[in-house]
Amino acid sequence: MIVKGYKIEPYANLSGAELGFADLSGANLTGANLSGADLTGAKLNGANLTGEDLTKARLFGAKLNGANLTNANLYGANLSDANLSGATVTGV
C-alpha cells in the first residue's frame, strides 16, 4: 500500500516519514522503522506494529484502537491524546 508517497509494508524504513492524519488502519508494519516519524492524528486502528521502532515518533492524537504494539519501542514517543483502547502493549 502506498500512503502519501511512502510504501507501507513490514520492515519498511519510514524513519522521519510525514504521515500525519494518514489512514493506516489495518496496516501490517511489523518490524518497521518509524523513528522520528510524524503520525499526528493518524488512524492506526487494528494495525500490526509488532516490534516497531517508534522512538521519538509523534503520535499526538493518533487512533490506535485495537492496534498490536507488542515489543514496540516507544522511547521518547509523544502519545498525548492518543487513543489506545483495546491495543496490545505487551513488552512495550
Side-chain angles (χ1 to χ4, degrees):
M1 145 173 47
I2 305 292
V3 177
K4 293 190 172 191
Y6 297 100
K7 190 170 186 179
I8 307 301
E9 63 184 3
Y11 302 99
N13 183 1
L14 299 167
S15 180
E18 297 292 331
L19 292 164
F21 300 96
D23 188 351
L24 302 170
S25 298
N28 183 1
L29 287 162
T30 301
N33 179 1
L34 277 162
S35 60
D38 182 3
L39 293 158
T40 301
K43 293 179 185 173
L44 292 152
N45 300 318
N48 186 354
L49 305 169
T50 302
E52 182 90 21
D53 183 358
L54 290 160
T55 304
K56 297 185 180 178
R58 292 178 302 282
L59 291 153
F60 180 84
K63 291 152 186 68
L64 293 148
N65 305 59
N68 185 352
L69 292 155
T70 301
N71 296 323
N73 182 351
L74 293 168
Y75 179 79
N78 181 347
L79 290 159
S80 300
D81 292 326
N83 186 337
L84 293 155
S85 297
T88 302
V89 292
T90 305
V92 171

mmCIF file of all heavy atoms in Angstrom, residues 23-82:
data_model
loop_
_atom_site.group_PDB
_atom_site.id
_atom_site.type_symbol
_atom_site.label_atom_id
_atom_site.label_comp_id
_atom_site.label_asym_id
_atom_site.label_seq_id
_atom_site.Cartn_x
_atom_site.Cartn_y
_atom_site.Cartn_z
ATOM 1 N N ASP A 23 -4.479 7.446 6.920
ATOM 2 C CA ASP A 23 -5.299 6.309 7.334
ATOM 3 C C ASP A 23 -4.497 5.038 7.095
ATOM 4 O O ASP A 23 -4.357 4.592 5.961
ATOM 5 C CB ASP A 23 -6.614 6.264 6.573
ATOM 6 C CG ASP A 23 -7.568 5.202 7.113
ATOM 7 O OD1 ASP A 23 -7.151 4.377 7.964
ATOM 8 O OD2 ASP A 23 -8.730 5.187 6.685
ATOM 9 N N LEU A 24 -3.936 4.496 8.176
ATOM 10 C CA LEU A 24 -3.142 3.275 8.129
ATOM 11 C C LEU A 24 -3.857 2.152 8.867
ATOM 12 O O LEU A 24 -3.225 1.206 9.330
ATOM 13 C CB LEU A 24 -1.754 3.525 8.743
ATOM 14 C CG LEU A 24 -0.928 4.633 8.079
ATOM 15 C CD1 LEU A 24 0.298 4.961 8.913
ATOM 16 C CD2 LEU A 24 -0.525 4.240 6.684
ATOM 17 N N SER A 25 -5.169 2.256 8.949
ATOM 18 C CA SER A 25 -5.967 1.247 9.647
ATOM 19 C C SER A 25 -5.719 -0.128 9.049
ATOM 20 O O SER A 25 -5.745 -0.299 7.830
ATOM 21 C CB SER A 25 -7.455 1.578 9.548
ATOM 22 O OG SER A 25 -7.731 2.809 10.173
ATOM 23 N N GLY A 26 -5.424 -1.095 9.919
ATOM 24 C CA GLY A 26 -5.210 -2.472 9.488
ATOM 25 C C GLY A 26 -3.881 -2.733 8.802
ATOM 26 O O GLY A 26 -3.631 -3.849 8.360
ATOM 27 N N ALA A 27 -3.020 -1.746 8.703
ATOM 28 C CA ALA A 27 -1.728 -1.923 8.018
ATOM 29 C C ALA A 27 -0.825 -2.890 8.783
ATOM 30 O O ALA A 27 -0.851 -2.952 10.007
ATOM 31 C CB ALA A 27 -1.016 -0.584 7.873
ATOM 32 N N ASN A 28 -0.021 -3.651 8.048
ATOM 33 C CA ASN A 28 0.964 -4.548 8.655
ATOM 34 C C ASN A 28 2.326 -3.870 8.558
ATOM 35 O O ASN A 28 2.927 -3.826 7.492
ATOM 36 C CB ASN A 28 0.991 -5.902 7.948
ATOM 37 C CG ASN A 28 1.972 -6.859 8.619
ATOM 38 O OD1 ASN A 28 2.615 -6.525 9.601
ATOM 39 N ND2 ASN A 28 2.085 -8.045 8.070
ATOM 40 N N LEU A 29 2.784 -3.336 9.696
ATOM 41 C CA LEU A 29 4.073 -2.655 9.764
ATOM 42 C C LEU A 29 5.029 -3.384 10.716
ATOM 43 O O LEU A 29 5.890 -2.772 11.325
ATOM 44 C CB LEU A 29 3.866 -1.210 10.220
ATOM 45 C CG LEU A 29 3.251 -0.295 9.163
ATOM 46 C CD1 LEU A 29 2.670 0.950 9.798
ATOM 47 C CD2 LEU A 29 4.297 0.069 8.123
ATOM 48 N N THR A 30 4.875 -4.697 10.800
ATOM 49 C CA THR A 30 5.728 -5.499 11.677
ATOM 50 C C THR A 30 7.199 -5.152 11.452
ATOM 51 O O THR A 30 7.683 -5.189 10.318
ATOM 52 C CB THR A 30 5.519 -7.004 11.392
ATOM 53 O OG1 THR A 30 4.147 -7.324 11.599
ATOM 54 C CG2 THR A 30 6.396 -7.863 12.292
ATOM 55 N N GLY A 31 7.890 -4.793 12.533
ATOM 56 C CA GLY A 31 9.330 -4.551 12.474
ATOM 57 C C GLY A 31 9.756 -3.329 11.689
ATOM 58 O O GLY A 31 10.938 -3.139 11.435
ATOM 59 N N ALA A 32 8.827 -2.488 11.313
ATOM 60 C CA ALA A 32 9.177 -1.292 10.543
ATOM 61 C C ALA A 32 9.887 -0.262 11.423
ATOM 62 O O ALA A 32 9.792 -0.287 12.642
ATOM 63 C CB ALA A 32 7.933 -0.681 9.923
ATOM 64 N N ASN A 33 10.594 0.656 10.784
ATOM 65 C CA ASN A 33 11.284 1.734 11.483
ATOM 66 C C ASN A 33 10.520 3.027 11.228
ATOM 67 O O ASN A 33 10.557 3.557 10.126
ATOM 68 C CB ASN A 33 12.731 1.859 10.986
ATOM 69 C CG ASN A 33 13.474 2.990 11.664
ATOM 70 O OD1 ASN A 33 12.940 3.689 12.516
ATOM 71 N ND2 ASN A 33 14.714 3.187 11.275
ATOM 72 N N LEU A 34 9.834 3.501 12.247
ATOM 73 C CA LEU A 34 9.124 4.767 12.179
ATOM 74 C C LEU A 34 9.702 5.752 13.196
ATOM 75 O O LEU A 34 9.004 6.641 13.675
ATOM 76 C CB LEU A 34 7.629 4.554 12.433
ATOM 77 C CG LEU A 34 6.812 4.106 11.220
ATOM 78 C CD1 LEU A 34 5.476 3.517 11.646
ATOM 79 C CD2 LEU A 34 6.597 5.244 10.263
ATOM 80 N N SER A 35 10.979 5.604 13.506
ATOM 81 C CA SER A 35 11.598 6.507 14.478
ATOM 82 C C SER A 35 11.544 7.935 13.939
ATOM 83 O O SER A 35 11.818 8.182 12.773
ATOM 84 C CB SER A 35 13.039 6.083 14.762
ATOM 85 O OG SER A 35 13.817 6.106 13.587
ATOM 86 N N GLY A 36 11.120 8.840 14.795
ATOM 87 C CA GLY A 36 11.042 10.243 14.422
ATOM 88 C C GLY A 36 9.951 10.580 13.419
ATOM 89 O O GLY A 36 9.885 11.703 12.926
ATOM 90 N N ALA A 37 9.094 9.636 13.093
ATOM 91 C CA ALA A 37 8.027 9.877 12.116
ATOM 92 C C ALA A 37 6.921 10.740 12.720
ATOM 93 O O ALA A 37 6.679 10.719 13.923
ATOM 94 C CB ALA A 37 7.443 8.556 11.635
ATOM 95 N N ASP A 38 6.263 11.513 11.865
ATOM 96 C CA ASP A 38 5.113 12.304 12.290
ATOM 97 C C ASP A 38 3.853 11.533 11.950
ATOM 98 O O ASP A 38 3.486 11.392 10.785
ATOM 99 C CB ASP A 38 5.101 13.653 11.584
ATOM 100 C CG ASP A 38 3.950 14.541 12.041
ATOM 101 O OD1 ASP A 38 3.191 14.128 12.951
ATOM 102 O OD2 ASP A 38 3.806 15.645 11.494
ATOM 103 N N LEU A 39 3.202 11.013 12.985
ATOM 104 C CA LEU A 39 1.947 10.263 12.855
ATOM 105 C C LEU A 39 0.833 10.995 13.603
ATOM 106 O O LEU A 39 -0.125 10.386 14.068
ATOM 107 C CB LEU A 39 2.129 8.844 13.399
ATOM 108 C CG LEU A 39 3.084 7.968 12.579
ATOM 109 C CD1 LEU A 39 3.631 6.829 13.414
ATOM 110 C CD2 LEU A 39 2.384 7.452 11.346
ATOM 111 N N THR A 40 0.959 12.313 13.705
ATOM 112 C CA THR A 40 -0.033 13.118 14.389
ATOM 113 C C THR A 40 -1.413 12.874 13.790
ATOM 114 O O THR A 40 -1.601 13.003 12.582
ATOM 115 C CB THR A 40 0.316 14.621 14.269
ATOM 116 O OG1 THR A 40 1.605 14.842 14.848
ATOM 117 C CG2 THR A 40 -0.722 15.492 14.968
ATOM 118 N N GLY A 41 -2.362 12.465 14.630
ATOM 119 C CA GLY A 41 -3.732 12.257 14.198
ATOM 120 C C GLY A 41 -3.945 11.098 13.237
ATOM 121 O O GLY A 41 -5.023 10.943 12.679
ATOM 122 N N ALA A 42 -2.927 10.267 13.034
ATOM 123 C CA ALA A 42 -3.047 9.142 12.101
ATOM 124 C C ALA A 42 -4.021 8.098 12.627
ATOM 125 O O ALA A 42 -4.174 7.917 13.831
ATOM 126 C CB ALA A 42 -1.683 8.504 11.859
ATOM 127 N N LYS A 43 -4.680 7.400 11.708
ATOM 128 C CA LYS A 43 -5.576 6.297 12.052
ATOM 129 C C LYS A 43 -4.794 4.998 11.901
ATOM 130 O O LYS A 43 -4.427 4.623 10.791
ATOM 131 C CB LYS A 43 -6.800 6.288 11.145
ATOM 132 C CG LYS A 43 -7.702 7.469 11.333
ATOM 133 C CD LYS A 43 -8.877 7.403 10.389
ATOM 134 C CE LYS A 43 -9.713 8.661 10.500
ATOM 135 N NZ LYS A 43 -10.772 8.691 9.473
ATOM 136 N N LEU A 44 -4.506 4.359 13.029
ATOM 137 C CA LEU A 44 -3.767 3.101 13.057
ATOM 138 C C LEU A 44 -4.612 2.014 13.705
ATOM 139 O O LEU A 44 -4.094 1.065 14.265
ATOM 140 C CB LEU A 44 -2.442 3.297 13.808
ATOM 141 C CG LEU A 44 -1.436 4.191 13.093
ATOM 142 C CD1 LEU A 44 -0.526 4.888 14.082
ATOM 143 C CD2 LEU A 44 -0.628 3.385 12.103
ATOM 144 N N ASN A 45 -5.931 2.152 13.608
ATOM 145 C CA ASN A 45 -6.842 1.190 14.215
ATOM 146 C C ASN A 45 -6.594 -0.202 13.649
ATOM 147 O O ASN A 45 -6.583 -0.388 12.425
ATOM 148 C CB ASN A 45 -8.293 1.596 13.966
ATOM 149 C CG ASN A 45 -8.614 2.955 14.553
ATOM 150 O OD1 ASN A 45 -8.199 3.265 15.659
ATOM 151 N ND2 ASN A 45 -9.320 3.770 13.819
ATOM 152 N N GLY A 46 -6.350 -1.162 14.535
ATOM 153 C CA GLY A 46 -6.146 -2.544 14.121
ATOM 154 C C GLY A 46 -4.838 -2.802 13.397
ATOM 155 O O GLY A 46 -4.626 -3.886 12.863
ATOM 156 N N ALA A 47 -3.933 -1.837 13.379
ATOM 157 C CA ALA A 47 -2.644 -2.013 12.693
ATOM 158 C C ALA A 47 -1.732 -2.959 13.474
ATOM 159 O O ALA A 47 -1.801 -3.038 14.701
ATOM 160 C CB ALA A 47 -1.950 -0.671 12.515
ATOM 161 N N ASN A 48 -0.890 -3.685 12.757
ATOM 162 C CA ASN A 48 0.094 -4.567 13.383
ATOM 163 C C ASN A 48 1.418 -3.819 13.438
ATOM 164 O O ASN A 48 2.076 -3.623 12.413
ATOM 165 C CB ASN A 48 0.244 -5.866 12.591
ATOM 166 C CG ASN A 48 1.158 -6.852 13.296
ATOM 167 O OD1 ASN A 48 1.765 -6.539 14.307
ATOM 168 N ND2 ASN A 48 1.254 -8.046 12.757
ATOM 169 N N LEU A 49 1.794 -3.392 14.638
ATOM 170 C CA LEU A 49 3.023 -2.635 14.863
ATOM 171 C C LEU A 49 3.986 -3.439 15.734
ATOM 172 O O LEU A 49 4.801 -2.882 16.460
ATOM 173 C CB LEU A 49 2.691 -1.293 15.520
ATOM 174 C CG LEU A 49 1.665 -0.423 14.767
ATOM 175 C CD1 LEU A 49 1.212 0.741 15.632
ATOM 176 C CD2 LEU A 49 2.235 0.071 13.465
ATOM 177 N N THR A 50 3.921 -4.761 15.640
ATOM 178 C CA THR A 50 4.767 -5.642 16.440
ATOM 179 C C THR A 50 6.241 -5.367 16.151
ATOM 180 O O THR A 50 6.666 -5.375 15.007
ATOM 181 C CB THR A 50 4.447 -7.120 16.117
ATOM 182 O OG1 THR A 50 3.067 -7.359 16.368
ATOM 183 C CG2 THR A 50 5.291 -8.061 16.960
ATOM 184 N N GLY A 51 6.998 -5.107 17.215
ATOM 185 C CA GLY A 51 8.436 -4.889 17.080
ATOM 186 C C GLY A 51 8.804 -3.591 16.396
ATOM 187 O O GLY A 51 9.956 -3.380 16.024
ATOM 188 N N GLU A 52 7.862 -2.720 16.254
ATOM 189 C CA GLU A 52 8.040 -1.423 15.580
ATOM 190 C C GLU A 52 8.989 -0.525 16.356
ATOM 191 O O GLU A 52 8.986 -0.493 17.572
ATOM 192 C CB GLU A 52 6.665 -0.753 15.522
ATOM 193 C CG GLU A 52 6.627 0.559 14.835
ATOM 194 C CD GLU A 52 6.349 0.380 13.375
ATOM 195 O OE1 GLU A 52 5.822 -0.642 12.967
ATOM 196 O OE2 GLU A 52 6.671 1.319 12.651
ATOM 197 N N ASP A 53 9.822 0.238 15.626
ATOM 198 C CA ASP A 53 10.659 1.259 16.257
ATOM 199 C C ASP A 53 9.943 2.594 16.097
ATOM 200 O O ASP A 53 9.910 3.163 15.005
ATOM 201 C CB ASP A 53 12.042 1.322 15.618
ATOM 202 C CG ASP A 53 12.959 2.331 16.319
ATOM 203 O OD1 ASP A 53 12.519 3.000 17.277
ATOM 204 O OD2 ASP A 53 14.121 2.450 15.889
ATOM 205 N N LEU A 54 9.344 3.068 17.194
ATOM 206 C CA LEU A 54 8.633 4.345 17.201
ATOM 207 C C LEU A 54 9.359 5.356 18.085
ATOM 208 O O LEU A 54 8.756 6.271 18.633
ATOM 209 C CB LEU A 54 7.195 4.134 17.690
ATOM 210 C CG LEU A 54 6.290 3.368 16.727
ATOM 211 C CD1 LEU A 54 5.085 2.780 17.454
ATOM 212 C CD2 LEU A 54 5.840 4.278 15.604
ATOM 213 N N THR A 55 10.673 5.200 18.215
ATOM 214 C CA THR A 55 11.481 6.104 19.024
ATOM 215 C C THR A 55 11.263 7.544 18.566
ATOM 216 O O THR A 55 11.424 7.853 17.383
ATOM 217 C CB THR A 55 12.980 5.750 18.897
ATOM 218 O OG1 THR A 55 13.165 4.389 19.249
ATOM 219 C CG2 THR A 55 13.834 6.636 19.793
ATOM 220 N N LYS A 56 10.864 8.389 19.493
ATOM 221 C CA LYS A 56 10.637 9.817 19.259
ATOM 222 C C LYS A 56 9.612 10.108 18.159
ATOM 223 O O LYS A 56 9.607 11.189 17.572
ATOM 224 C CB LYS A 56 11.959 10.541 18.975
ATOM 225 C CG LYS A 56 12.914 10.483 20.160
ATOM 226 C CD LYS A 56 14.151 11.301 19.925
ATOM 227 C CE LYS A 56 15.053 11.207 21.140
ATOM 228 N NZ LYS A 56 16.292 11.948 20.958
ATOM 229 N N ALA A 57 8.749 9.157 17.877
ATOM 230 C CA ALA A 57 7.676 9.390 16.903
ATOM 231 C C ALA A 57 6.624 10.311 17.509
ATOM 232 O O ALA A 57 6.414 10.316 18.721
ATOM 233 C CB ALA A 57 7.042 8.071 16.489
ATOM 234 N N ARG A 58 5.973 11.086 16.669
ATOM 235 C CA ARG A 58 4.906 11.983 17.111
ATOM 236 C C ARG A 58 3.564 11.304 16.810
ATOM 237 O O ARG A 58 3.134 11.243 15.659
ATOM 238 C CB ARG A 58 5.037 13.324 16.396
ATOM 239 C CG ARG A 58 6.289 14.078 16.834
ATOM 240 C CD ARG A 58 6.486 15.406 16.124
ATOM 241 N NE ARG A 58 6.581 15.343 14.673
ATOM 242 C CZ ARG A 58 7.661 14.976 13.988
ATOM 243 N NH1 ARG A 58 8.753 14.605 14.634
ATOM 244 N NH2 ARG A 58 7.665 14.976 12.679
ATOM 245 N N LEU A 59 2.938 10.796 17.874
ATOM 246 C CA LEU A 59 1.663 10.091 17.771
ATOM 247 C C LEU A 59 0.556 10.884 18.461
ATOM 248 O O LEU A 59 -0.432 10.326 18.910
ATOM 249 C CB LEU A 59 1.790 8.696 18.401
ATOM 250 C CG LEU A 59 2.687 7.733 17.632
ATOM 251 C CD1 LEU A 59 3.285 6.685 18.551
ATOM 252 C CD2 LEU A 59 1.904 7.082 16.516
ATOM 253 N N PHE A 60 0.725 12.200 18.535
ATOM 254 C CA PHE A 60 -0.244 13.066 19.198
ATOM 255 C C PHE A 60 -1.609 12.893 18.544
ATOM 256 O O PHE A 60 -1.767 13.074 17.337
ATOM 257 C CB PHE A 60 0.198 14.528 19.108
ATOM 258 C CG PHE A 60 -0.742 15.484 19.772
ATOM 259 C CD1 PHE A 60 -0.651 15.710 21.134
ATOM 260 C CD2 PHE A 60 -1.722 16.136 19.057
ATOM 261 C CE1 PHE A 60 -1.510 16.580 21.762
ATOM 262 C CE2 PHE A 60 -2.597 17.009 19.671
ATOM 263 C CZ PHE A 60 -2.488 17.232 21.028
ATOM 264 N N GLY A 61 -2.605 12.490 19.339
ATOM 265 C CA GLY A 61 -3.966 12.333 18.839
ATOM 266 C C GLY A 61 -4.173 11.155 17.897
ATOM 267 O O GLY A 61 -5.218 11.044 17.258
ATOM 268 N N ALA A 62 -3.200 10.257 17.799
ATOM 269 C CA ALA A 62 -3.335 9.094 16.910
ATOM 270 C C ALA A 62 -4.390 8.131 17.444
ATOM 271 O O ALA A 62 -4.619 8.038 18.647
ATOM 272 C CB ALA A 62 -1.995 8.380 16.773
ATOM 273 N N LYS A 63 -5.029 7.428 16.535
ATOM 274 C CA LYS A 63 -6.046 6.442 16.891
ATOM 275 C C LYS A 63 -5.439 5.054 16.719
ATOM 276 O O LYS A 63 -5.187 4.619 15.606
ATOM 277 C CB LYS A 63 -7.285 6.637 16.029
ATOM 278 C CG LYS A 63 -8.016 7.927 16.380
ATOM 279 C CD LYS A 63 -8.780 8.480 15.196
ATOM 280 C CE LYS A 63 -9.386 9.828 15.504
ATOM 281 N NZ LYS A 63 -8.397 10.878 15.681
ATOM 282 N N LEU A 64 -5.174 4.399 17.847
ATOM 283 C CA LEU A 64 -4.523 3.096 17.862
ATOM 284 C C LEU A 64 -5.457 2.031 18.446
ATOM 285 O O LEU A 64 -5.003 1.059 19.022
ATOM 286 C CB LEU A 64 -3.238 3.178 18.690
ATOM 287 C CG LEU A 64 -2.149 4.061 18.083
ATOM 288 C CD1 LEU A 64 -1.310 4.714 19.155
ATOM 289 C CD2 LEU A 64 -1.283 3.258 17.152
ATOM 290 N N ASN A 65 -6.763 2.200 18.260
ATOM 291 C CA ASN A 65 -7.741 1.257 18.798
ATOM 292 C C ASN A 65 -7.467 -0.139 18.251
ATOM 293 O O ASN A 65 -7.429 -0.336 17.036
ATOM 294 C CB ASN A 65 -9.167 1.655 18.399
ATOM 295 C CG ASN A 65 -9.498 3.071 18.798
ATOM 296 O OD1 ASN A 65 -8.830 3.995 18.369
ATOM 297 N ND2 ASN A 65 -10.508 3.248 19.599
ATOM 298 N N GLY A 66 -7.265 -1.097 19.142
ATOM 299 C CA GLY A 66 -7.060 -2.479 18.730
ATOM 300 C C GLY A 66 -5.742 -2.749 18.032
ATOM 301 O O GLY A 66 -5.529 -3.835 17.502
ATOM 302 N N ALA A 67 -4.828 -1.793 18.025
ATOM 303 C CA ALA A 67 -3.522 -1.998 17.381
ATOM 304 C C ALA A 67 -2.662 -2.954 18.207
ATOM 305 O O ALA A 67 -2.808 -3.044 19.422
ATOM 306 C CB ALA A 67 -2.792 -0.665 17.214
ATOM 307 N N ASN A 68 -1.777 -3.667 17.541
ATOM 308 C CA ASN A 68 -0.849 -4.573 18.219
ATOM 309 C C ASN A 68 0.515 -3.907 18.289
ATOM 310 O O ASN A 68 1.193 -3.751 17.273
ATOM 311 C CB ASN A 68 -0.746 -5.904 17.463
ATOM 312 C CG ASN A 68 0.114 -6.907 18.197
ATOM 313 O OD1 ASN A 68 0.757 -6.584 19.191
ATOM 314 N ND2 ASN A 68 0.140 -8.126 17.713
ATOM 315 N N LEU A 69 0.897 -3.487 19.495
ATOM 316 C CA LEU A 69 2.178 -2.818 19.722
ATOM 317 C C LEU A 69 3.144 -3.709 20.498
ATOM 318 O O LEU A 69 4.076 -3.226 21.127
ATOM 319 C CB LEU A 69 1.944 -1.517 20.493
ATOM 320 C CG LEU A 69 1.213 -0.417 19.724
ATOM 321 C CD1 LEU A 69 0.514 0.537 20.663
ATOM 322 C CD2 LEU A 69 2.176 0.323 18.831
ATOM 323 N N THR A 70 2.954 -5.018 20.438
ATOM 324 C CA THR A 70 3.801 -5.954 21.176
ATOM 325 C C THR A 70 5.276 -5.707 20.858
ATOM 326 O O THR A 70 5.670 -5.662 19.689
ATOM 327 C CB THR A 70 3.423 -7.408 20.824
ATOM 328 O OG1 THR A 70 2.050 -7.622 21.154
ATOM 329 C CG2 THR A 70 4.288 -8.402 21.577
ATOM 330 N N ASN A 71 6.064 -5.515 21.908
ATOM 331 C CA ASN A 71 7.517 -5.307 21.800
ATOM 332 C C ASN A 71 7.919 -4.090 20.983
ATOM 333 O O ASN A 71 9.043 -4.004 20.492
ATOM 334 C CB ASN A 71 8.219 -6.552 21.248
ATOM 335 C CG ASN A 71 8.085 -7.730 22.177
ATOM 336 O OD1 ASN A 71 8.120 -7.578 23.397
ATOM 337 N ND2 ASN A 71 7.880 -8.911 21.620
ATOM 338 N N ALA A 72 7.020 -3.122 20.820
ATOM 339 C CA ALA A 72 7.362 -1.891 20.112
ATOM 340 C C ALA A 72 8.239 -1.008 21.000
ATOM 341 O O ALA A 72 8.131 -1.027 22.219
ATOM 342 C CB ALA A 72 6.101 -1.141 19.710
ATOM 343 N N ASN A 73 9.116 -0.222 20.384
ATOM 344 C CA ASN A 73 9.972 0.707 21.103
ATOM 345 C C ASN A 73 9.326 2.090 21.013
ATOM 346 O O ASN A 73 9.292 2.693 19.941
ATOM 347 C CB ASN A 73 11.371 0.737 20.481
ATOM 348 C CG ASN A 73 12.311 1.657 21.239
ATOM 349 O OD1 ASN A 73 11.903 2.401 22.123
ATOM 350 N ND2 ASN A 73 13.576 1.608 20.881
ATOM 351 N N LEU A 74 8.812 2.569 22.144
ATOM 352 C CA LEU A 74 8.152 3.865 22.196
ATOM 353 C C LEU A 74 8.976 4.890 22.971
ATOM 354 O O LEU A 74 8.438 5.905 23.417
ATOM 355 C CB LEU A 74 6.770 3.716 22.843
ATOM 356 C CG LEU A 74 5.746 2.913 22.037
ATOM 357 C CD1 LEU A 74 4.528 2.582 22.887
ATOM 358 C CD2 LEU A 74 5.338 3.686 20.804
ATOM 359 N N TYR A 75 10.267 4.665 23.106
ATOM 360 C CA TYR A 75 11.128 5.568 23.871
ATOM 361 C C TYR A 75 11.031 6.983 23.294
ATOM 362 O O TYR A 75 11.292 7.220 22.109
ATOM 363 C CB TYR A 75 12.584 5.091 23.843
ATOM 364 C CG TYR A 75 13.501 6.016 24.590
ATOM 365 C CD1 TYR A 75 13.571 5.974 25.971
ATOM 366 C CD2 TYR A 75 14.285 6.945 23.920
ATOM 367 C CE1 TYR A 75 14.403 6.824 26.673
ATOM 368 C CE2 TYR A 75 15.114 7.800 24.606
ATOM 369 C CZ TYR A 75 15.170 7.743 25.980
ATOM 370 O OH TYR A 75 15.984 8.606 26.672
ATOM 371 N N GLY A 76 10.610 7.922 24.134
ATOM 372 C CA GLY A 76 10.541 9.329 23.744
ATOM 373 C C GLY A 76 9.406 9.662 22.791
ATOM 374 O O GLY A 76 9.321 10.782 22.300
ATOM 375 N N ALA A 77 8.520 8.704 22.510
ATOM 376 C CA ALA A 77 7.390 8.970 21.610
ATOM 377 C C ALA A 77 6.361 9.854 22.312
ATOM 378 O O ALA A 77 6.171 9.767 23.514
ATOM 379 C CB ALA A 77 6.743 7.664 21.168
ATOM 380 N N ASN A 78 5.701 10.715 21.545
ATOM 381 C CA ASN A 78 4.649 11.576 22.077
ATOM 382 C C ASN A 78 3.308 10.923 21.803
ATOM 383 O O ASN A 78 2.850 10.890 20.669
ATOM 384 C CB ASN A 78 4.711 12.957 21.426
ATOM 385 C CG ASN A 78 3.651 13.899 21.974
ATOM 386 O OD1 ASN A 78 2.721 13.485 22.656
ATOM 387 N ND2 ASN A 78 3.791 15.172 21.667
ATOM 388 N N LEU A 79 2.680 10.397 22.855
ATOM 389 C CA LEU A 79 1.381 9.736 22.756
ATOM 390 C C LEU A 79 0.263 10.582 23.374
ATOM 391 O O LEU A 79 -0.796 10.060 23.694
ATOM 392 C CB LEU A 79 1.440 8.369 23.444
ATOM 393 C CG LEU A 79 2.290 7.322 22.731
ATOM 394 C CD1 LEU A 79 2.725 6.225 23.670
ATOM 395 C CD2 LEU A 79 1.536 6.755 21.549
ATOM 396 N N SER A 80 0.492 11.884 23.511
ATOM 397 C CA SER A 80 -0.521 12.764 24.095
ATOM 398 C C SER A 80 -1.815 12.669 23.306
ATOM 399 O O SER A 80 -1.808 12.737 22.078
ATOM 400 C CB SER A 80 -0.036 14.218 24.081
ATOM 401 O OG SER A 80 1.143 14.361 24.827
ATOM 402 N N ASP A 81 -2.914 12.484 24.011
ATOM 403 C CA ASP A 81 -4.256 12.402 23.425
ATOM 404 C C ASP A 81 -4.434 11.245 22.443
ATOM 405 O O ASP A 81 -5.396 11.214 21.684
ATOM 406 C CB ASP A 81 -4.654 13.714 22.739
ATOM 407 C CG ASP A 81 -4.845 14.849 23.733
ATOM 408 O OD1 ASP A 81 -5.307 14.572 24.860
ATOM 409 O OD2 ASP A 81 -4.538 15.995 23.396
ATOM 410 N N ALA A 82 -3.512 10.282 22.432
ATOM 411 C CA ALA A 82 -3.667 9.099 21.573
ATOM 412 C C ALA A 82 -4.706 8.173 22.178
ATOM 413 O O ALA A 82 -4.842 8.100 23.398
ATOM 414 C CB ALA A 82 -2.333 8.369 21.421
#
